[in-house]
Each structure stands twice: as structure tokens, then as C-alpha cells.
Amino acid sequence: MAKQEAKGLPWWQLSLFGAGCTIGTAFFLGSGIAARTSGWLALPVFAAVALATYFVYEALARMTAEHPDKGSFRTYAGEAYGRWAAFGTGWIYWFSELLILGGTLTALGLFSQAWLPAVPLWAFAGGYAVLALLVVVLGSKGINAAENMFAVVKIAAVIGFIGVCAWWLLRGLASPAEAPDSWREAAAPGWGGAWRGLLYGFYAFSGIEVMGFMAAGLRKPEEAPKAGAFMLALIAVLYIGSVALAMLLVPAASMKPDASPLILALDGLGLTALRHALNGVLIVSGFSILVASLYGVSTMLVTLAEGGDAPAWAGRTWGKRKLPAAALLVNAAGMGVSVVLALLLPRSLFEHLATAGGLVLLYVWTIIALSYLKLGRPGAWGRIKAWTAIGLMAAAASGALSEPAGRPGFYASLAIAAAVAGATLVMHRRWSAAAGQQRLREYARARRRSPGGREGGGAV
């Protein structure tokens, strides 16, 4: 037993891996949309979202501690509500990850345009897509190790940003960009703005569900909640601190959906060298997440195929390393769609992908909370936390509908959910028909073997 435990992950390593999966382009760009939409209320929005995110992760961690399974929330949804729930959850999550892949490609293109503005967004997106495919095909052994390394780099970069901006302000070398009157204007969207900004706050925390897959490999699965609490507390402090300082230096109205508020703040301070250094960190770390996500979503498609929830050809692997070749081709086609959209909608693509991807991911998180309510049978406090998270996620979804810029992504997420629901209904009917036929066959065999049946020697 001790030898088996020694092979598992320590809880702090899971925290580090979770930070690497969470701190990425969803925060570096999405935080600017949240700040522009919510003004100074973006800070309590991030705090509330961090708490709701922990409630969702805690629900998943407790189910993992009770029953570690590599299928994670997909398996638990099936145990709670039946095979149809596992099927639907798997495909909803696959679509959410594909949208997040598209958002990451777009973000990498936007970061790269800061250095080469003449190159069109679609060219950068296509180049990064091809490069990511090559990295996965040529060798994927070091993906997890690279994520841990880049987690440290990203955390250090955000801490460095906070330190530089705080020192600059305390030394009086820079003044807040907004006088008190402007601060009130920045908060002018009021609670309606905070409502609309909730979704982009949740989007910045996307990635915590990946910890659920890794939690099954902990030395002590019961430490999964502690790993998530530590990671989310650290990230919440970094998010709130960096966004607060960025908003002190850049008016909320000047935030852009295609530029990181951290980069805008360093631009305002005239720290060109640091700006370029941070931009380099964003590109390298964003690309590492792109590669890890591409490999992960391809592996998930193989898992769906192996479980009979996707066409058998999607599960075909290639070579000694069992490369998910067919799944990679499917996901490459999905990234190709993002490249075409970058050609058609270069200015607003990230915001649309962030809205759609964030909403579809919230559908998955809602299923996690509902599965916990049924399987975990929590006490009153556990139910309050789960329903609080579900309520905030519902508010985030409806907030996207209230803003014109968020409606295309909202309708796209509904179309994806409807398509998955339709496929789930068709498959559920097939499974029910197959189960009915199996019961009839078993009944017929039992009749033949009974005393009154033919094999029992009774009269015919």
C-alpha cells in the first residue's frame, strides 16, 4: 500500500498543475472584458466567482475522494442520472474545450500582433494551430512537465506585474489614471454591469475541471479539496490584485477585448521592455496550454469512442505511442473553423469565443454540481454551497444574453447544447430499444429452460 501511495501525486503538485491549466489566455484577455463590462465591480465579481468555482471543484473533489475514476465528472454524471447523462456531459465538455482551443488560438494571434501588427490574425491562428499539431504528433511526453514549469513562470509573471505596478504607484512615479469622479464613471454600469461581467469572470477560472481528472491519481484522494482550495485562493488573490492595479492605471472605458489589461497598464507606465517580456510570457505560456488542451481533448474523444459514445473510428490510434491520430484530425478541423472565423471576424472573435466557450463550460460545471447533490447527498451546508454555485452560473448565463455583444456567443452555446441534447435523445432511444430486445432474449431463454419449456422436457 505504501509503495502504491508513493507513486501518486502529492496534493501541492496537483495545485501547481491546476494553476498551470487555469492561468492563461482566458484570464489575460478575459479579465479586460470583465473590467470593461463591470467597472470596479469586476473585483467583487472575481471574488464571488472564485468562491463559486471552489464550490464546484469541492463537489467534484468529494466525489473523486469517494470513488476515484479516470472518467471523473463524466462517470459521476452517468452514475447519478444514467448513461445518457455521461454521453451528454462528455460531448458538451468536448465542445467547450474545442471552443476554448479556438479562443486560445485567437488570443495567441492577438498577442503576436503586438509585435507584428501587419500580419493578419488568421495567419497567426493558422500558424499556431499547425505548430501545436506538430508538437503533439512529434512528442507529447513532456506536456505535463511543461505545464508545471509554465505554471511557475505565469505565477511569477503576475506577481512581478503586481510588484512593479504597486512600487510605481507607491513611489509616486505614476498617478492613478482615474480621478475620483472618473472612478464613479468606471463603476457606472452598476450591478447590471457586474451581472454581465460574471461570465467572463467564470471564463478566467476555466481549467479547474481538469484537476478532477488528475485528482484520481493523488496519493491521498481525500486531499483533493485541499489542493483546490490552495490553488483557487492563490489565483483569486493574483487575479484581483493584478486587475485592481491595472484599473488604477488604465480607465475601465479604455479596456479592450483584444488586449490584455496587464499589457495596457505597462504601456501606460512606459515600461516598454517589461511589456515585451510579459507579452513573450503570454505567448509561450498560452502556446503550452494550447498543446496540452489539444492533446487532452483528443484523448477525450478517444475515450468517448472506446466507451461507445463516439464513432469507433474516432478512437483509432497510431504508432507505439498510441497517438490519437483520428481524434487529432477531427480537432484540427475544429481549429480550422477558428482560423476561418479569424479571417471573417478579426476584431470581435475572441469575445464571441469566450462567451460561447464560457457558457458551454458552465453547463458542464452545473452538471458536476447536480451530480454531487444526487450522489454525495450532502448536508444542509453542502447543498447551500452547491445551489449557490448553480445560481451564480445561471446568472452568468443570463447576463450574457442581456448584452448585445454577448448574444452571438449565447445563441451559439444554445445551438451546441441543443445539438448534444438531440444526439443524446437519439442514443437514449437506441439504448432503450437494445435493452428491451436483450430483456426479451433473456426471457425467451429462461422460458426454454423452465420446466414447462422445450429444454425442460415439458409439453409443447
Side-chain angles (χ1 to χ4, degrees), residues 37 191-197 395-407 410-411:
T37 303
W191 293 108
W195 176 36
R196 292 189 293 274
S398 60
L401 184 60
S402 71
E403 186 179 19
R407 287 170 192 163
F410 180 87
Y411 294 133

Side-chain angles (χ1 to χ4, degrees), residues 71-79 85-87 89-90 300 303-304 307 309:
S72 190
F73 51 84
R74 180 170 166 262
T75 298
Y76 305 139
E79 291 177 355
F87 177 90
T89 301
M300 166 160 280
T303 304
L304 286 168
D309 290 343

Side-chain angles (χ1 to χ4, degrees), residues 373-389:
L373 286 169
K374 185 167 184 179
L375 290 179
R377 296 181 180 177
W381 179 231
R383 291 196 299 272
I384 288 171
K385 289 190 289 186
W387 282 113
T388 298

Side-chain angles (χ1 to χ4, degrees), residues 17-70:
F17 182 84
C21 292
T22 305
I23 303 176
T25 53
F27 165 67
F28 290 124
L29 273 185
S31 58
I33 303 176
R36 187 194 63 188
T37 303
S38 307
W40 284 99
L41 290 176
L43 305 183
V45 161
F46 273 112
V49 165
L51 198 60
T53 301
Y54 175 68
F55 291 162
V56 173
Y57 172 77
E58 184 185 36
L60 179 57
R62 292 193 182 282
M63 289 188 289
T64 302
E66 185 78 19
H67 177 202
D69 190 281
K70 67 177 184 179

Side-chain angles (χ1 to χ4, degrees), residues 38-135:
S38 307
W40 284 99
L41 290 176
L43 305 183
V45 161
F46 273 112
V49 165
L51 198 60
T53 301
Y54 175 68
F55 291 162
V56 173
Y57 172 77
E58 184 185 36
L60 179 57
R62 292 193 182 282
M63 289 188 289
T64 302
E66 185 78 19
H67 177 202
D69 190 281
K70 67 177 184 179
S72 190
F73 51 84
R74 180 170 166 262
T75 298
Y76 305 139
E79 291 177 355
Y81 299 104
R83 186 179 177 184
W84 66 268
F87 177 90
T89 301
W91 278 108
I92 281 283
Y93 183 65
W94 180 78
F95 274 111
S96 74
E97 285 297 295
L98 204 60
L99 287 167
I100 290 172
L101 271 180
T104 304
L105 276 178
T106 306
L108 286 170
L110 292 170
F111 294 152
S112 300
Q113 280 186 324
W115 288 340
L116 299 170
V119 179
L121 182 63
W122 67 266
F124 276 125
Y128 283 121
V130 171
L131 191 57
L133 282 167
L134 286 174
V135 170

Side-chain angles (χ1 to χ4, degrees), residues 215-231:
L218 279 173
R219 290 180 190 173
K220 298 178 180 179
E222 64 271 16
E223 291 185 333
K226 178 170 69 174
F230 180 82
M231 186 274 287

Side-chain angles (χ1 to χ4, degrees), residues 250-269:
V250 181
S254 299
M255 296 289 182
K256 304 174 183 177
D258 58 353
S260 171
L262 278 63
I263 295 292
L264 293 175
L266 292 178
D267 272 342
L269 294 176

